[in-house]
Amino acid sequence: QVHLMESGGGSVQSGGSLRLSCVVTGNFNNEYLMGWFRQAPGKEAEGLAAIDTDDTANYAEAVKGRFTISRDNIKSTMYLQMNDLTPEDTAMYYCAADFQEYHTVVVVRTVPLFTYRGQGTQVTVSL
């Protein structure tokens, strides 16, 4: 079993930054594709970014240029650096992991469907 735990959420003003972390524990190796997605109340889950085992990153258009995904395999931790936040970024943010072999092509919008996910961390951006 694989467990993911997010941290780093909080409340910021528009234009601010946050860095989310996701620690992975359990029967985990570095052959997992990992990603972030978010869900706002009343909206569908939205894939934001994914990073594969070669550290190749892909982003949704909504966050490209503002968010940066990275991973530290030694620490079994993934990060999401979020800059220039706006109120539209307010949501619960989740990290997710899946078996790399299931994905011949990484499609960011599928991140909410990954096999494993954390409990989420709330991000609130005010004007």
Side-chain angles (χ1 to χ4, degrees):
Q1 191 61 274
V2 174
H3 299 279
L4 293 81
M5 179 172 290
E6 305 91 341
S7 63
S11 297
V12 295
Q13 290 187 324
S14 186
S17 299
L18 283 173
R19 187 194 196 203
L20 306 183
S21 298
C22 173
V23 177
V24 187
T25 58
N27 188 23
F28 175 80
N29 59 48
N30 295 321
E31 295 303 311
Y32 281 78
L33 174 66
M34 299 189 71
W36 291 92
F37 70 96
R38 67 187 178 190
Q39 188 162 22
K43 295 186 177 181
E44 293 187 356
E46 176 186 20
L48 301 175
I51 186 165
D52 68 15
T53 56
D54 293 327
D55 282 347
T56 298
N58 291 277
Y59 298 92
E61 287 298 321
V63 303
K64 193 175 293 184
R66 299 189 299 127
F67 291 11
T68 302
I69 189 173
S70 61
R71 63 194 291 171
D72 183 333
N73 291 331
I74 296 175
K75 296 181 178 179
S76 296
T77 302
M78 178 178 63
Y79 304 97
L80 186 68
Q81 177 67 43
M82 306 187 295
N83 298 327
D84 195 21
L85 288 162
T86 73
E88 288 69 37
D89 295 313
T90 295
M92 187 71 79
Y93 283 68
Y94 300 86
C95 63
D98 207 353
F99 302 101
Q100 178 77 65
E101 62 192 53
Y102 291 173
H103 301 265
T104 54
V105 176
V106 177
V107 180
V108 174
R109 68 175 180 269
T110 68
V111 173
L113 304 176
F114 282 10
T115 302
Y116 303 105
R117 63 169 61 179
Q119 294 298 308
T121 185
Q122 177 68 36
V123 171
T124 302
V125 185
S126 58
L127 289 171

